């Protein structure tokens, strides 16, 4: 069975205030053409179809168009909701849509109920594990302390139990939306840290033939059977080095896996350039970036006059302008944002306690902080989904 694995469409999202709907529409057209050209048997979309729980109308219309075009091909599609989606909204009409061959899996309670598709070698069971917010699904999965590993592990136990009851030789595909250990994140994914831990071990997914992951925006292989497709478009300059693509996966009669990367259309390349303003305006090596979306970091010791307009004269698609005059780490003028870069909310709060009190929090106090951050995240998730 030949599968096309994609994820993280983020329909409705912009890139530094540049609307991406046209590029997203081009991607949908490319997806449909790829399905036809490569004789794909099933499409799997591993979450974050939309960029937010209540997407703009234009994004909903594009999604509707994608569903109609995929259904018209007669090729089954399996989709799950991600952490940016409202699972309840995305799942409205799932039963009716499923009759057209588009199978939406958004309810955590259905993790162990597969979509069954057949090829010449027998059945393939597709299990959809939508994004599992630990605080919201702990009761469903009977875990005492909510965490990503616990709830995903419980969901996969249901998958393995169902699979064990299937006829011998039944092959299996799992769709999941999670941060799995070994994956390389970017700046454009929403933080899903719970209890100070965001990642789950890849061993959670043992026992199935292929795992189609979503959430991280870079295409990557964790094992031959566990892969991220990444987002089809860039959504931050941290993705400047990404090669945007989808996985074309061949699932053999014996459950063996071979995979090929298929490139997605590039609306405009990304470039991160750095130097003094005069260097950036004069360097002939930068000519290749003149039509790119540009993030420029100026290292001038004193901020130059009118830098954005002067940069735009050479790089008309400059979208982000940063200043880094190259101060030492102990320089009091070092920006607050830079000092906090790469630190979690928990670490920042613990540093604040140490700064105010003279000593950092003890184990019990760290647990209180961790529970507070987790409670706020869960409350924000509930509020967004309920809109």
């Amino acid at each position: 069975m030949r599968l096309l694995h994609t994820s993280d469409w983020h329909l409705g999202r912009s890139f530094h205030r540049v609307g991406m709907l046209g590029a997203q529409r081009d991607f949908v057209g490319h997806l449909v053409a790829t399905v036809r050209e490569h004789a794909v048997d099933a499409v799997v979309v591993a979450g974050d179809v939309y960029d937010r729980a209540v997407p703009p109308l234009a994004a909903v219309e594009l999604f509707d168009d994608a569903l109609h075009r995929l259904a018209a091909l007669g090729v089954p599609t399996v989709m799950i909701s991600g952490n940016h989606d409202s699972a309840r909204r995305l799942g409205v009409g799932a039963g009716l849509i499923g009759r057209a061959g588009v199978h939406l899996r958004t309810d955590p309670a259905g993790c162990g109920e597969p979509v069954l598709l057949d090829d010449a070698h027998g059945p393939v069971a597709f299990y959809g594990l939508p994004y599992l917010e630990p605080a919201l699904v702990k009761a469903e999965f009977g875990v005492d302390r909510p965490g990503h590993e616990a709830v995903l592990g419980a969901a996969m136990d249901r998958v393995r139990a169902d699979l064990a009851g299937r006829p011998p030789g039944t092959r299996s595909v799992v769709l999941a939306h999670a941060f799995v250990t070994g994956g390389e994140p970017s700046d454009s994914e929403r933080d899903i840290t719970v209890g100070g831990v965001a990642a789950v071990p890849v061993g959670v997914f043992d026992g199935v033939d292929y795992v189609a992951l979503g959430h991280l925006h870079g295409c990557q292989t964790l094992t031959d059977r566990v892969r991220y497709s990444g987002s089809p478009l860039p959504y931050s300059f941290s993705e400047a080095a990404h090669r945007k693509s989808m996985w074309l996966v061949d699932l053999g009669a014996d459950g063996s896996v071979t995979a090929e990367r298929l490139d997605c259309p590039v609306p405009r390349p990304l470039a991160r350039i750095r130097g003094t303003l005069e260097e950036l305006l004069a360097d002939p090596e930068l000519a290749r970036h003149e039509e790119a979306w540009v993030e420029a970091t100026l290292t001038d010791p004193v901020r130059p006059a009118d830098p954005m307009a002067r940069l735009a004269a050479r790089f008309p698609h400059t979208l982000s302008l940063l200043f880094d005059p190259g101060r030492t780490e102990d320089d009091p003028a070092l920006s607050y944002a830079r000092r906090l870069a790469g630190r979690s909310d928990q670490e920042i709060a613990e540093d604040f306690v140490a700064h105010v009190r003279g000593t950092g929090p003890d184990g019990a106090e760290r647990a209180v902080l961790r529970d507070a951050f987790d409670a706020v995240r869960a409350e924000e998730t509930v509020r967004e989904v309920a809109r």
Side-chain angles (χ1 to χ4, degrees):
M1 184 172 286
R2 174 163 285 183
L3 316 176
L4 187 63
H5 168 198
T6 177
S7 72
D8 295 272
W9 295 0
H10 289 278
L11 300 181
R13 186 164 182 165
S14 297
F15 180 76
H16 287 265
R17 300 177 303 280
V18 173
M20 297 290 279
L21 199 65
Q24 291 169 341
R25 186 174 293 107
D26 289 344
F27 163 70
V28 169
H30 171 72
L31 173 73
V32 172
T34 299
V35 170
R36 186 184 299 110
E37 176 185 349
H38 290 274
V40 169
D41 297 308
V43 177
V44 293
V45 185
D48 280 354
V49 174
Y50 292 121
D51 189 56
R52 57 180 187 265
V54 184
L57 178 59
V60 177
E61 291 173 339
L62 180 55
F63 179 59
D64 180 65
D65 177 61
L67 295 187
H68 277 84
R69 295 173 72 178
L70 288 169
L73 292 175
V75 175
T77 299
V78 184
M79 294 184 172
I80 61 172
S81 49
N83 61 301
H84 279 251
D85 299 309
S86 165
R88 291 177 62 187
R89 288 176 183 271
L90 187 64
V92 169
L96 184 61
I97 296 171
R99 296 181 186 179
V102 178
H103 305 279
L104 296 171
R105 290 295 183 262
T106 64
D107 184 358
C111 286
E113 302 169 9
V115 175
L116 293 173
L117 303 177
D118 291 287
D119 65 6
H121 306 289
V124 179
F126 290 78
Y127 297 90
L129 278 56
Y131 171 67
L132 303 175
E133 175 60 45
L136 302 183
V137 301
K138 63 177 181 178
E140 169 64 35
F141 292 106
V143 299
D144 295 329
R145 184 173 181 84
H148 289 290
E149 183 174 356
V151 296
L152 265 174
M156 282 301 301
D157 286 343
R158 294 187 183 183
V159 168
R160 285 184 283 263
D162 180 85
L163 192 58
R166 299 277 166 191
T170 299
R171 290 156 292 161
S172 54
V173 175
V174 165
L175 290 73
H177 196 87
F179 184 3
V180 180
T181 301
E184 184 66 32
S186 67
D187 293 343
S188 50
E189 298 111 7
R190 183 179 294 170
D191 180 28
I192 59 171
T193 301
V194 172
V197 179
V200 300
V202 71
V204 164
F205 298 105
D206 286 350
V208 297
D209 294 312
Y210 184 71
V211 181
L213 292 175
H215 180 56
L216 300 185
H217 288 186
C219 181
Q220 46 203 300
T221 300
L222 303 186
T223 74
D224 286 344
R225 297 183 181 273
V226 183
R227 301 170 188 265
Y228 281 101
S229 66
S231 61
L233 294 166
Y235 293 112
S236 75
F237 278 102
S238 65
E239 302 173 47
H242 287 188
R243 173 188 163 196
K244 296 301 183 181
S245 55
M246 301 179 286
W247 285 113
L248 186 67
V249 178
D250 284 316
L251 187 62
D254 59 353
S256 59
V257 171
T258 58
E260 176 188 358
R261 286 181 72 176
L262 301 180
D263 291 328
C264 294
V266 178
R268 192 179 295 278
L270 307 187
R272 302 178 105 172
I273 60 178
R274 179 184 179 88
T276 66
L277 179 58
E278 295 305 324
E279 288 170 347
L280 299 184
L281 295 177
D283 188 349
E285 290 295 317
L286 299 180
R288 66 186 188 277
H289 299 315
E290 289 176 356
E291 295 303 316
W293 279 323
V294 168
E295 177 187 79
T297 300
L298 299 185
T299 60
D300 302 76
V302 177
R303 186 172 302 202
D306 209 11
M308 192 64 161
R310 294 169 66 188
L311 277 170
R314 183 181 187 189
F315 306 103
H317 305 288
T318 301
L319 300 181
S320 177
L321 181 59
L322 306 174
F323 295 92
D324 182 10
R327 299 185 175 101
T328 61
E329 291 297 325
D330 58 355
D331 190 326
L334 187 67
S335 75
Y336 185 64
R338 183 175 164 192
R339 282 186 282 129
L340 298 185
R343 302 184 67 76
S344 68
D345 291 342
Q346 176 90 14
E347 291 170 328
I348 293 168
E350 292 179 11
D351 287 350
F352 177 76
V353 172
H355 174 74
V356 171
R357 195 172 64 185
T359 59
D362 59 25
E365 290 168 332
R366 283 195 296 273
V368 169
L369 287 170
R370 183 171 61 248
D371 290 345
F373 282 120
D374 290 349
V376 169
R377 281 189 61 262
E379 181 181 344
E380 288 178 345
T381 300
V382 171
R383 185 168 57 249
E384 183 170 318
V385 170
R387 289 173 58 194

